Amino acid sequence: FFFGGHQNGFQFNDEDSILIPEVYDPYKDTWTELSPMRTPRNYHSSAILLRDGTIFVGGGGLCGDCDVNHQDHEIFYPPYLYTQTQNGFQIAQRPQIASIPSTAKLGQRLTITISGPKANQIRYFMWMRFHSVTHSLSTDLRGFRRRPKSGPSQGGGGRYSYEVKLPNNVNDFPRGLYWVYAVTGAKVPSVAAKVKVTK
């Protein structure tokens, strides 16, 4: 997800601001333009992925009393949160993570139980490391796609279980806190669950 900036390169300036965010797909090597923002987001702006799959976009400016300080934010709803029907777009039905260990070790096999719509159609689990953003950079951001080793195994109440194995190498999968999203074959994510990865 790429957002903000302007075309003139001048600091603390909203002229020629780029309001249309874009998404890059590394698997297809394609860029997709999304709905425009309402407010320019330039120097000192930030964006961060939230637990429910939306994106917080805010800030910009921080130049004293100048008129390009944007001490506000917007919440962006990416296309994966919608589905197209004959009557237009509507909010997508999302799977739910019913149970997942709150802590996990490197190399461990985890059992994750899914309920709700498309519970038996989970393609992968996306592990997004907690991070912080400053000056439009997040040097600690990590994202890992883990496909199930087994599953779905049907349980009671419309629940399905999947087994996922974490990498063994801390360099490949740094320890810390992660948001874990269950993602369907249609790329619709669940609301994330928090897991702490230890050695």
Side-chain angles (χ1 to χ4, degrees), residues 5-22:
H6 48 64
Q7 301 180 58
N8 60 38
F10 295 117
Q11 195 177 45
F12 304 131
N13 185 302
D14 278 351
E15 294 182 10
D16 300 320
S17 291
I18 299 171
L19 297 177
I20 297 178
E22 297 181 72

Side-chain angles (χ1 to χ4, degrees), residues 53-74:
T54 60
I55 301 172
F56 172 98
V57 179
L62 196 62
C63 52
D65 295 328
C66 68
D67 60 1
V68 296
N69 283 336
H70 301 297
Q71 300 179 27
D72 54 14
H73 72 277
E74 303 171 61

Side-chain angles (χ1 to χ4, degrees), residues 107-112 124-125 127 146-150 162-166:
Q108 181 178 343
R109 289 180 177 267
L110 307 176
T111 297
I112 303 174
Y124 59 88
F125 293 89
W127 294 64
R146 307 301 297 173
R147 294 188 181 276
K149 292 292 184 181
S150 64
Y162 299 80
E163 187 178 76
V164 176
K165 185 179 185 300
L166 297 186

Side-chain angles (χ1 to χ4, degrees), residues 17-190:
S17 291
I18 299 171
L19 297 177
I20 297 178
E22 297 181 72
V23 168
Y24 175 67
D25 186 334
Y27 298 96
K28 298 180 180 178
D29 192 24
T30 58
W31 293 85
T32 302
E33 293 187 348
L34 305 175
S35 299
M37 300 180 294
R38 296 181 178 178
T39 304
R41 302 295 175 188
N42 297 315
Y43 191 59
H44 287 127
S45 62
S46 296
I48 193 166
L49 178 67
L50 301 179
R51 178 174 177 252
D52 64 356
T54 60
I55 301 172
F56 172 98
V57 179
L62 196 62
C63 52
D65 295 328
C66 68
D67 60 1
V68 296
N69 283 336
H70 301 297
Q71 300 179 27
D72 54 14
H73 72 277
E74 303 171 61
I75 301 296
F76 185 78
Y77 287 77
Y80 54 67
L81 295 180
Y82 297 90
T83 186
Q84 189 170 9
T85 68
Q86 293 180 345
N87 299 320
F89 289 91
Q90 65 182 27
I91 298 295
Q93 292 186 319
R94 305 172 69 178
Q96 302 164 12
I97 297 179
S99 66
I100 187 173
S102 60
T103 60
K105 295 181 179 181
L106 292 173
Q108 181 178 343
R109 289 180 177 267
L110 307 176
T111 297
I112 303 174
T113 303
I114 306 298
S115 63
K118 314 296 183 181
N120 63 337
Q121 298 179 28
I122 302 304
R123 181 71 55 83
Y124 59 88
F125 293 89
M126 193 70 197
W127 294 64
M128 296 297 298
R129 182 174 165 84
F130 278 31
H131 62 110
S132 59
V133 182
T134 180
H135 291 79
S136 302
L137 297 174
S138 177
T139 57
D140 201 37
L141 177 61
R142 301 286 190 280
F144 302 95
R145 181 183 293 193
R146 307 301 297 173
R147 294 188 181 276
K149 292 292 184 181
S150 64
S153 300
Q154 187 171 8
R159 297 186 175 192
Y160 293 82
S161 296
Y162 299 80
E163 187 178 76
V164 176
K165 185 179 185 300
L166 297 186
N168 295 306
N169 192 326
V170 69
N171 296 314
D172 295 333
F173 202 91
R175 295 185 292 267
L177 293 169
Y178 287 82
W179 287 129
V180 181
Y181 301 85
V183 184
T184 68
K187 297 185 178 180
V188 177
S190 68

